[in-house]
Structures are given as structure tokens and as C-alpha cells.
Amino acid sequence: MPKFRFHLQPSDQPAMVIRTSSVRSQDDPLSLAIRPPSTETDSDRQARLRQEAEARRISEQIDEELKADRKKWERSKGDVKLLLLGQAESGKSTLQKQFQLMYSPSSIESERMSWRTVVYFNVVRSIKKILATLEVWDDIDDGTDSQSALERQELSHDEFSVLGPSKLGNQDLGPSASPTAPSPVATQPLEVVYTPTKASSISELRLRLHSLVRTEPQLADRLSGGVSAAGCGKGEVFVRSVGIAEQVPERPPTSLSTLDTDPLIEEVASMLEQLQDDIRALWEHSIVRALISKRKLKLDEWSEFFLNDIARISARGYIPSTDDILHARIQTMGVSEHVFDVDVHGRTVTWHLYDVGGARGQRHTWVPYFDDANAIIFVSPISAFDQYLEEDPRTNRIDDSLQLFTQICSNQLLKRVHLVLFLNKTDILRKKLELGLQVSKYILSYGERPNEYEPVVNYFRAHFQQVHRRNNENRRVLYVHLTNVTDTTATQDIIANVRDSIFRGYLKSAALV
């Protein structure tokens, strides 16, 4: 029935009656909009009904997905979200692998063969770097500790902004020419007789290894999927591991699980098998050993691990060991989420572990994960006191790590987050100190303190704790651990302790205890 609305008019004017639309009115705008045209045929009507049914199905599907997302969100409010933060090459991804070994070992097994690609890439890159350095030094060692002009330029740094000045007291010394090793080669400079035989030995090895070295860019392209990553450092190759990892960033990367059947990998494996004697001869060559001992040849930390075991790695049917996987190095880009069900004292809690890219150009990707983080493990490599950033050769890595830790401690979004500090790579720090590297040559504020493991560790730990105290308005506890995350037994004991402390903080924040 039509509805009427009466408008009162002044007494000298007759009343006006205005008819209004109703839902049932024939002139209702919505009814008019959805009314089928008068010329609709039976086939048109059937098509319209099919379209309306499909629209209802999609609408109902969206409603169901929203309900499922709401339920998932309600459940996830009880999950623990853990961020692994720190600069590139600090050991974050290795720590993530340790979590994976502890809480999802089957995922490591499913990816084991795929790590062969990364190991091969690490070996080939190490060989390439050795040959390139030999070429710079004309395939000889002159028995001195002098540096190339490039190395001297890299050492002309300004002051160490957090720990104090890092400029060297003696401009003739630096990271590549520091007092070194108690080994015979280091303490007594090797006298090399420059005979054609010695020179031709390196030349012949270079010639025979040329085809293997040429595969390095192809392996890099396989691992990175042909994508270049801004801010990842010069010449770096990145990959985002898969398996249990959910990929967060923009473009899906090459999956590790798809690389083990690549013909290129089989070709590289065959080359390594044929050339293993040449690789060993190069690695053990007296000139190479002399350049390493005098720090004219500076290899990555994993190079020695793989090259010392080249016979096993280059053998037919090679399967990466767990230690190989832990030592294999490939740079992370973006943020990868790893999900574990963790049993804590009879209660199973889902943990979301976020492994992040640590290069300067990648750190902006961390911020979206700060809002609902429950805990942070900040990883700092204290062995890096004599190293500088790949992205910025003027910045000492310890200095950068302290500045980054300051930003994390002072961030208002993270003021109530459970904070754990891993002072990592203690094994490498011990080796450097045993070889005679002087911390005071790189950090003048270290002064006359003993150049021994305990004083050095205490010095670095004190500076990180000082940063925390200066940015600790909420009196948050900082849990500090000295770590070597490639040591599975020790690291998993530490992970268990960290797990318990994080869970206690999680319960308190949830007002359950």
C-alpha cells in the first residue's frame, strides 16, 4: 500500500499531500534498477539467473573466508611472534636453521639435497676470490705485510662513533696487515723463490679451474632467481628459503626445493669431482697459505670449512650434512616467516619466527612486524671488530651493530618486547685473538686492556648493556648469551633457555600468571 506524508501548510493555504516511495512501490529506485527489462527473452532470463546465482555464491564464499580469518585471528592472539634482528652475516639465518632443527627437523630433511646448490656456490665463489687475489699479487708472496692501495683506502676511516676512535695509531697497519699468527708461516715470513716453476704452478691451476669459476654467475642467478636486490651489498647473492617458510615479500623467489634437479648443478658437481685435486692443490699452495696468514687474502668465514673438506663435498653422490647446511651462506632478502609448534611445559604454543634481511637497504622491511612482536633476538657478531660493512666500507661492523641495537632499544613500538642479545661468533673471536689480532688496533678506546678472550668479551658486552640501560625506561630485562650458532648442542641448550624466558614473559603479558 502506498505511503503518504502530510506537510502542514499555513492556515491560508490548502494542505498538500506528497506521495513517498516505499520498498514495495513500483517507482522505488532500487526496484527500478534491478527490474528486468521488458524485452528480456527466456535465454536472457536464464543467463541473468545464472549470474545472480554466481554472485550469491561469491558473496557467501567471502563471508565464509571472513569468518575463517576472524577465527584464525582469535586463535593467533595466543601465538608467540619472535623477530631475529641484526646486521647481515651476523648469524640470524643460521640461528633460524637451529630452530628448524629443534622444532621441525622434517623440513630440514625435505630441503637437504637442495642445499647442495648453496654449498657448491660457496665453494666456487671461494675459489674465484683466491684466484682474483693471487692475480692482484702477481701470483707471488714477497715476504712482507704490505697492503694494496685499495686496502689502505678502506682503512682510512673516521672515528669509531660508539665505542670510540677506530682509526689506527700506525697508518702502516690495518685489518689486512695486523700482527698475526703464532703459526710458523705468520711469525716467520715465507721467503718465496720466484722461479718459473712456482709461477707456472698457479697459472696452470688457474687455467684448469677456469671452467669451474665461470659457473659462479650462473649459480648466483639460479639462487636469486635472476632478481637483483637493492641494498644487499656489492656482489651479494640472496635467496629466500622455502619449505616451512612462508614468503612475505613481493616477488616469489627461486625455491630451494626446485634446484636439486637443475642440469647446471649436475654439471658443477661433475666439474668438482674432476677438479678436486686441483682445488686441494690451490688451497694448500704455499703462496695461498702465506697470503692468508698475512691477511692479504681475506676469505669468508665459511670458505675454510668447505675447502678443508673438498674431497667429501666434490665426491659423487654428495649429500649435504647438517653442519654443511649450518655453514652454508646465502644472503636473506626481505622477511621470511617460519611457523613452529613449541611445547613448553606441557602446553603447545604456535611460534612465528621472522628471519630478516640485515643489509642496510633491507632494514626498512622490519618495521611492519614491530607492532605485535612478543620477543626479539638481536644477533651481533663480536668477532667482526676488524671488519667493515660491505655496503659502506667506512663503517666498522661492531659500530654498525651497536648503532642498530640502539635503534631497536629506543623504538617506542618495542619498549615492552622481550629482548634477548646473542653476542655471536665467539669461536671466530677466539681464533682471531689466538692469531694475534689486536683489538686496540681497530678500536682505540679498548686501550691497554689485555688482548684476551674474556676481557674482550666483557668489553663488548658492557657497551651493549650500556646502550640498553640508556634506553630502558620500562626497566626491561636484557638477556645476554655468548653464542656460536653453528654449534648445534650448545645453541639448542641456549634456545631452550630463551624459549622458557620468552614464554614466561608471554604469560605475564597475557595476565595469566
Side-chain angles (χ1 to χ4, degrees), residues 130-163:
I130 292 171
L131 292 173
T133 303
L134 284 167
E135 188 171 3
V136 169
W137 292 97
D138 297 325
D139 294 347
I140 60 173
D141 172 56
D142 58 8
T144 71
D145 289 328
S146 61
Q147 302 170 42
S148 68
L150 177 60
E151 288 173 313
R152 287 198 185 97
Q153 181 180 354
E154 288 180 350
L155 291 176
S156 59
H157 302 294
D158 294 327
E159 292 192 341
F160 205 77
S161 62
V162 177
L163 290 182

Coordinates of all heavy atoms in Angstrom, one line a residue, residues 130-163:
I130 N 90.1 -16.5 -4.3 CA 91.5 -16.9 -4.2 C 92.3 -16.5 -5.4 O 93.3 -15.9 -5.4 CB 91.7 -18.4 -3.8 CG1 91.1 -18.7 -2.4 CG2 93.1 -18.8 -3.9 CD1 91.1 -20.1 -2.1
L131 N 91.7 -16.9 -6.6 CA 92.4 -16.7 -7.8 C 92.5 -15.2 -8.1 O 93.5 -14.7 -8.6 CB 91.7 -17.4 -9.0 CG 91.8 -18.9 -8.9 CD1 91.0 -19.6 -10.0 CD2 93.3 -19.4 -9.1
A132 N 91.4 -14.4 -7.8 CA 91.5 -13.0 -8.1 C 92.5 -12.3 -7.2 O 93.2 -11.4 -7.6 CB 90.1 -12.4 -7.8
T133 N 92.6 -12.7 -5.9 CA 93.6 -12.1 -5.0 C 95.0 -12.5 -5.5 O 95.9 -11.6 -5.4 CB 93.4 -12.6 -3.6 OG1 92.0 -12.3 -3.2 CG2 94.3 -11.9 -2.6
L134 N 95.2 -13.7 -5.9 CA 96.5 -14.1 -6.4 C 96.9 -13.2 -7.6 O 98.1 -12.8 -7.8 CB 96.5 -15.6 -6.8 CG 96.6 -16.6 -5.6 CD1 96.3 -18.0 -6.2 CD2 98.0 -16.6 -5.0
E135 N 96.0 -12.9 -8.4 CA 96.2 -12.1 -9.6 C 96.7 -10.7 -9.2 O 97.6 -10.1 -9.8 CB 95.0 -12.1 -10.5 CG 95.3 -11.4 -11.9 CD 94.1 -11.6 -12.8 OE1 93.1 -12.1 -12.4 OE2 94.2 -11.1 -14.0
V136 N 96.0 -10.2 -8.2 CA 96.4 -8.8 -7.7 C 97.8 -8.8 -7.2 O 98.6 -7.9 -7.4 CB 95.4 -8.4 -6.5 CG1 96.0 -7.2 -5.8 CG2 94.0 -8.1 -7.1
W137 N 98.3 -9.9 -6.6 CA 99.6 -10.0 -6.0 C 100.6 -10.7 -7.0 O 101.6 -11.2 -6.6 CB 99.6 -10.8 -4.7 CG 98.9 -10.0 -3.6 CD1 97.6 -10.1 -3.2 CD2 99.5 -8.9 -2.8 NE1 97.3 -9.2 -2.2 CE2 98.5 -8.5 -2.0 CE3 100.8 -8.3 -2.8 CZ2 98.7 -7.4 -1.0 CZ3 101.0 -7.3 -1.9 CH2 99.9 -6.9 -1.0
D138 N 100.2 -10.8 -8.3 CA 101.0 -11.3 -9.3 C 101.4 -12.8 -9.0 O 102.6 -13.2 -9.4 CB 102.3 -10.5 -9.5 CG 101.9 -9.1 -10.0 OD1 101.0 -8.9 -10.8 OD2 102.6 -8.1 -9.6
D139 N 100.6 -13.5 -8.4 CA 100.8 -14.9 -8.1 C 102.0 -15.2 -7.2 O 102.6 -16.3 -7.3 CB 100.9 -15.8 -9.4 CG 99.6 -15.8 -10.1 OD1 98.6 -15.4 -9.5 OD2 99.6 -16.2 -11.3
I140 N 102.4 -14.2 -6.4 CA 103.6 -14.4 -5.6 C 103.3 -13.8 -4.2 O 102.4 -13.0 -4.0 CB 104.9 -13.7 -6.2 CG1 104.6 -12.2 -6.3 CG2 105.3 -14.3 -7.5 CD1 105.9 -11.4 -6.7
D141 N 104.2 -14.1 -3.3 CA 104.2 -13.5 -1.9 C 105.6 -13.0 -1.8 O 106.6 -13.7 -1.9 CB 103.9 -14.5 -0.8 CG 104.1 -13.9 0.5 OD1 103.5 -12.9 0.8 OD2 104.9 -14.5 1.3
D142 N 105.7 -11.7 -1.5 CA 107.1 -11.0 -1.4 C 107.6 -11.1 0.0 O 108.7 -10.5 0.2 CB 107.0 -9.6 -1.9 CG 106.0 -8.8 -1.2 OD1 105.5 -9.3 -0.1 OD2 105.8 -7.6 -1.6
G143 N 107.0 -11.8 0.9 CA 107.5 -11.9 2.2 C 107.2 -10.7 3.1 O 107.7 -10.7 4.3
T144 N 106.5 -9.7 2.7 CA 106.2 -8.6 3.5 C 104.7 -8.6 3.9 O 103.9 -9.4 3.4 CB 106.5 -7.3 2.8 OG1 105.5 -7.1 1.7 CG2 107.9 -7.3 2.2
D145 N 104.4 -7.6 4.8 CA 103.0 -7.5 5.2 C 102.3 -6.2 4.6 O 101.4 -5.7 5.1 CB 102.9 -7.4 6.7 CG 103.2 -8.7 7.4 OD1 102.9 -9.7 6.8 OD2 103.8 -8.7 8.5
S146 N 102.9 -5.8 3.5 CA 102.3 -4.6 2.9 C 100.9 -4.9 2.3 O 100.6 -6.0 2.0 CB 103.2 -4.1 1.7 OG 103.4 -5.1 0.7
Q147 N 100.2 -3.8 2.1 CA 98.8 -3.9 1.6 C 98.6 -3.2 0.2 O 99.4 -2.4 -0.2 CB 97.8 -3.2 2.6 CG 97.9 -3.7 4.0 CD 97.1 -2.8 4.9 OE1 96.1 -2.4 4.6 NE2 97.7 -2.6 6.0
S148 N 97.6 -3.6 -0.4 CA 97.3 -3.0 -1.7 C 96.8 -1.6 -1.4 O 96.3 -1.3 -0.4 CB 96.2 -3.8 -2.5 OG 95.0 -3.8 -1.8
A149 N 96.8 -0.8 -2.5 CA 96.3 0.6 -2.3 C 94.8 0.6 -1.9 O 94.3 1.4 -1.2 CB 96.5 1.4 -3.6
L150 N 94.0 -0.4 -2.5 CA 92.6 -0.5 -2.1 C 92.4 -0.7 -0.7 O 91.6 -0.1 0.0 CB 92.0 -1.6 -3.0 CG 90.5 -1.8 -2.7 CD1 89.7 -0.6 -3.0 CD2 90.0 -3.0 -3.5
E151 N 93.2 -1.6 -0.1 CA 93.1 -1.9 1.3 C 93.4 -0.7 2.2 O 92.8 -0.5 3.2 CB 94.0 -3.1 1.7 CG 93.4 -4.5 1.1 CD 94.4 -5.6 1.4 OE1 95.6 -5.4 1.1 OE2 94.0 -6.7 1.8
R152 N 94.5 0.0 1.8 CA 94.8 1.2 2.6 C 93.7 2.2 2.5 O 93.4 2.9 3.5 CB 96.1 1.8 2.0 CG 97.4 1.0 2.3 CD 98.6 1.9 2.1 NE 99.8 1.1 2.3 CZ 100.5 0.5 1.3 NH1 100.1 0.7 0.0 NH2 101.6 -0.2 1.5
Q153 N 93.1 2.3 1.4 CA 92.0 3.3 1.2 C 90.8 2.9 2.1 O 90.2 3.7 2.8 CB 91.5 3.4 -0.2 CG 90.4 4.4 -0.4 CD 90.0 4.4 -1.9 OE1 90.6 3.8 -2.7 NE2 88.9 5.1 -2.2
E154 N 90.5 1.6 2.2 CA 89.4 1.1 3.1 C 89.7 1.4 4.5 O 88.8 1.4 5.3 CB 89.2 -0.4 2.8 CG 88.6 -0.7 1.4 CD 88.3 -2.1 1.2 OE1 88.8 -2.9 2.1 OE2 87.7 -2.5 0.3
L155 N 91.0 1.5 4.9 CA 91.3 1.7 6.3 C 91.4 3.1 6.8 O 91.5 3.4 7.9 CB 92.7 1.0 6.6 CG 92.7 -0.5 6.5 CD1 94.2 -1.0 6.7 CD2 91.8 -1.1 7.5
S156 N 91.2 4.0 5.9 CA 91.2 5.5 6.2 C 89.9 5.9 6.8 O 89.2 6.7 6.2 CB 91.6 6.3 5.0 OG 90.6 6.1 4.0
H157 N 89.5 5.3 7.9 CA 88.2 5.5 8.5 C 88.3 6.7 9.5 O 89.3 7.0 10.0 CB 87.7 4.3 9.2 CG 87.6 3.1 8.3 ND1 86.7 3.0 7.3 CD2 88.2 1.9 8.4 CE1 86.8 1.9 6.7 NE2 87.7 1.2 7.3
D158 N 87.1 7.3 9.7 CA 87.0 8.3 10.8 C 86.8 7.6 12.1 O 87.1 6.4 12.2 CB 85.8 9.2 10.5 CG 86.0 10.0 9.2 OD1 87.1 10.4 8.9 OD2 85.0 10.2 8.6
E159 N 86.4 8.3 13.1 CA 86.4 7.8 14.5 C 85.3 6.8 14.6 O 84.2 6.8 14.0 CB 86.3 8.9 15.5 CG 87.5 9.7 15.6 CD 87.5 10.6 16.8 OE1 86.4 10.8 17.3 OE2 88.5 11.1 17.1
F160 N 85.5 5.9 15.6 CA 84.5 4.8 15.9 C 83.5 5.5 16.7 O 83.7 5.8 17.9 CB 85.3 3.7 16.7 CG 84.7 2.4 16.6 CD1 84.8 1.6 15.5 CD2 84.0 1.9 17.7 CE1 84.3 0.4 15.5 CE2 83.4 0.6 17.7 CZ 83.6 -0.1 16.5
S161 N 82.3 5.7 16.2 CA 81.3 6.6 16.8 C 80.7 6.2 18.1 O 80.3 7.0 18.9 CB 80.2 6.9 15.8 OG 79.5 5.7 15.5
V162 N 80.6 4.9 18.3 CA 80.0 4.4 19.6 C 81.1 4.0 20.6 O 81.1 4.4 21.7 CB 79.0 3.3 19.3 CG1 78.4 2.7 20.6 CG2 77.9 3.8 18.4
L163 N 82.0 3.1 20.1 CA 83.0 2.6 21.1 C 84.1 3.6 21.2 O 84.9 3.5 22.2 CB 83.5 1.3 20.6 CG 82.6 0.1 20.6 CD1 83.3 -1.2 20.1 CD2 82.1 -0.1 22.0

